[in-house]
Amino acid sequence: MTKKPIVYHIPVCPFSQRLEILLALRGTPEAVEFRVVDITRPRDPELLRKTRGTTALPVLETSDGRILKESLVILRYLDEALPGGPLRRVDPFEHAVESMLIAREGAFTTAGYLFVLNQDRDQRAGHRDKLLGLYRDIDGFLCEHSPEGPFLFEDFGLAEAVFTPMFKRFWFLDYYEGFALPEGPEYDRVRRWRAACMAHPATDQVSEEEIVKLYYDYAMGAGNGALVEGRKMSSFAFEPHWRDRPMPPRDKYAGSASDAVLGLV
Ligand code: GAZ
């Protein structure tokens, strides 16, 4: 048997969940070796050499030592390279349609993360409006290309694998910002899509409780494993396990709770 490709990743990272979803759908979770990188520690020089100095993950190393970066690139590569039927649409026009939807993921992801990271109460409404506008755009797209749904095509596909990890991360907005899609026809189609994506059994790598607890520091304005002022532990710490910690306080504008209140010590 040839060597497996290696994916260097951060557990619970939405970008790597895209790849985990693909493997779950293919029924071949063991086709790729996942190697955990602890981003709170200095990066292994050997891995830095391989990536030529970049630190963003996930990174895929092929069985013959070549390097691929960017989750969407890796997702498409594995979809082509792994045995079994592809997740992508085979029909060229349909593949173009799913690619148009995927092209919206960057703005969507950025809007949700900037919203959770925001520390200024006066800017809340602006962040909410921005994100709602993007949800309405996706709603319009789905109404045009797949009015019945719930998925873009018959089944959960490539676009769903791209967006679902973000829908699940945005649980942090429900909890820390009281965000919810408003009632009303402008959101009905995207609401159905999002619900079907999140309910799909191939996407259950993370839970709401886990996201809310691990992403507390993002709600305090600190991303990527950075330490919040006055704290010694990151909410992303592997120990104590998130299950053994209490739910964090919801009011993100009141300042950070202590390591002790968060159950980190
Ligand atoms: N475009 C890349 C991909 O693979 O799709 C993004 C990968 C990435 O950002 N990975 C981050 C990383 O490895 C972790 S996840 N960081 C460690 C390092 O040393 O670079 C994303 C945002 C954002 C805030 C946070 C994140 C996030 O915007 O989840 O926007 C896309 C980082 C404010």
Side-chain angles (χ1 to χ4, degrees):
M1 201 176 88
T2 52
K3 246 174 72 185
K4 293 177 186 181
I6 300 167
V7 170
Y8 297 91
H9 82 137
I10 309 168
V12 196
C13 169
F15 304 106
S16 97
Q17 195 192 356
R18 290 172 172 162
L19 313 181
E20 296 174 294
I21 290 171
L22 174 72
L23 296 174
L25 289 165
R26 274 294 221 292
T28 54
E30 70 302 325
V32 168
E33 180 191 339
F34 281 92
R35 284 200 195 156
V36 172
V37 173
D38 182 348
I39 56 163
T40 66
R41 296 201 190 149
R43 196 60 55 86
D44 171 16
E46 180 58 20
L47 184 55
L48 273 180
R49 189 191 58 75
K50 288 177 179 169
T51 61
R52 302 176 73 83
T54 66
T55 56
L57 298 168
V59 162
L60 180 137
E61 183 177 354
T62 62
S63 44
D64 57 359
R66 292 175 296 170
I67 294 292
L68 292 176
K69 302 178 194 179
E70 287 298 326
S71 61
L72 295 184
V73 174
I74 298 170
L75 182 67
R76 288 172 182 274
Y77 168 75
L78 287 175
D79 192 38
E80 308 287 326
L82 294 178
L87 190 55
R88 60 159 278 181
R89 301 302 293 182
V90 172
D91 173 78
F93 185 80
E94 290 183 355
H95 182 53
V97 168
E98 70 188 350
S99 296
M100 281 197 288
L101 184 50
I102 291 168
R104 294 164 186 261
E105 72 79 36
F108 182 76
T109 299
T110 301
Y113 273 90
L114 291 181
F115 192 5
V116 76
L117 285 164
N118 170 53
Q119 299 299 295
D120 180 354
R121 267 182 212 273
D122 295 340
Q123 289 186 29
R124 288 177 84 175
H127 284 288
R128 180 173 177 275
D129 291 348
K130 171 84 195 171
L131 187 59
L132 287 179
L134 294 167
Y135 269 114
R136 286 194 302 275
D137 291 345
I138 296 173
D139 190 281
F141 185 95
L142 292 167
C143 285
E144 179 183 353
H145 295 283
S146 171
E148 298 300 323
F151 297 119
L152 179 58
F153 296 102
E154 300 85 68
D155 278 321
F156 187 105
L158 193 63
E160 284 80 10
V162 168
F163 275 89
T164 306
M166 296 308 161
F167 291 148
K168 296 205 167 182
R169 293 313 166 287
F170 291 1
W171 276 320
F172 54 46
L173 296 175
D174 307 1
Y175 190 82
Y176 295 113
E177 288 289 355
F179 179 83
L181 280 183
E183 293 301 315
E186 295 170 288
Y187 301 100
D188 282 347
R189 180 65 189 90
V190 71
R191 193 192 327 275
R192 276 201 297 128
W193 186 51
R194 187 178 68 165
C197 286
M198 293 174 80
H200 195 283
T203 71
D204 64 6
Q205 293 84 2
V206 292
S207 70
E208 181 166 7
E209 179 186 349
E210 179 180 13
I211 294 297
V212 164
K213 289 178 179 178
L214 293 183
Y215 280 80
Y216 180 74
D217 291 357
Y218 272 80
M220 296 298 112
N224 264 335
L227 266 188
V228 176
E229 219 181 286
R231 299 246 314 278
K232 291 199 165 57
M233 297 282 292
S234 161
S235 59
F236 278 97
F238 299 143
E239 296 284 330
H241 194 278
W242 57 266
R243 272 199 194 90
D244 303 324
R245 308 182 209 165
M247 288 301 278
R250 278 178 191 265
D251 184 2
K252 58 175 268 195
Y253 296 97
S256 178
S258 64
D259 290 334
V261 166
L262 296 169
L264 288 164
V265 287

